[in-house]
Amino acid sequence: MPEGLEAEIYRRAAERTVGRTITAVEVDDLQDTADELRAVLPGLTIVGTHRVGKQVVLDLDDGERLGLHFGMTGRLIVDGASAIDRLEYASGRDDPKWDRLRLDFDDGTHLRVNDPRRWAVFRLDPDLDRLGPDIFDLTPELLAERLRGRRAAIKALLLDQGVVAGFGNMIADEVLWQAGVSPHASAATLSDEQLAAIVEAAQTNLPEMLERGGSHTGVIDPEVRATLPPCPRDGGPLRRDTVGGRTTIWCPVHQTA
DNA sequence: GCCCTTGTTACGCC
DNA sequence: AGGCGTAACAAGGG
């Protein structure tokens, strides 16, 4: 599932298209922007890329921006090569019938978003103002500010893209495990030390996971999620709960409220 | 064929 | 008003 780390991997792949001019566009009819994209994009040149949370943005030479959001199973293919071969919960295949967006370029290359479950969303000039600060820009002060007045479970709030942009289910569990904070803990009762630990865990572990290849490379990896071995830190019994409507793996011994 | 998976949004309630 | 909890959505895979 593309979380902020996968979005950054996709952005880096998309960076290769800078300088290319779009000659043809194919869009899944399910996208409510399909007609608009077909009308507007041909003839435009990609001049840059950036990313906020899970949103990858292609900057176009007319000043517009094309926002790519990959949903649960969307993958980016640039020049025929998938930026990520293995995506948890996604099919291992890259079937052309699952192409939801295809941009052909003037030099004969192309970019595709392939998404079996059709939750990817493409739109011009995406509204990024509702997103919180990016996971790579977190500071204790910023996180405290975003959580002010909130009292829901910390994990549910980390997954709220308006609080922090880029956390998905796996890296939220990983960061809380690393920080020693219970996913059930109310944001209203978190200590300054716990907030600092969460930010420290994000700053330390997320770049490492990015370099290792994505959200599935943490301690709480898919194998651990599936088999619930003893906690790798203290040997305690890992638990599988639902928090914020999502499956949550955590250790009640060292992750405290 | 049933049920699991996730990110986002819609909706009802407080 | 706005926070919060829950369900719905798509559809492949087990």
Side-chain angles (χ1 to χ4, degrees), chain A residues 10-31:
Chain A
Y10 289 159
R11 188 202 64 76
R12 292 177 180 180
E15 183 72 20
R16 295 167 54 190
T17 67
V18 170
R20 301 178 188 173
T21 299
I22 300 165
T23 55
V25 177
E26 291 174 36
V27 194
D28 183 1
D29 282 322
L30 194 97
Q31 296 283 328

Side-chain angles (χ1 to χ4, degrees), chain A residues 167-237:
Chain A
F167 273 107
N169 199 39
M170 297 188 73
I171 60 177
D173 281 1
E174 180 73 17
V175 164
L176 290 172
W177 184 89
Q178 296 279 359
V181 175
S182 166
H184 295 282
S186 165
T189 60
L190 283 182
S191 67
D192 289 345
E193 289 73 21
Q194 287 176 308
L195 278 182
I198 290 170
V199 173
E200 166 69 19
Q203 290 174 340
T204 301
N205 292 283
L206 297 182
E208 292 178 3
M209 294 169 72
L210 176 63
E211 296 314 311
R212 287 199 297 267
S215 303
H216 61 287
T217 64
V219 171
I220 310 301
D221 66 14
E223 169 84 10
V224 168
R225 303 184 73 84
T227 63
L228 297 186
C231 174
R233 177 168 296 179
D234 54 39

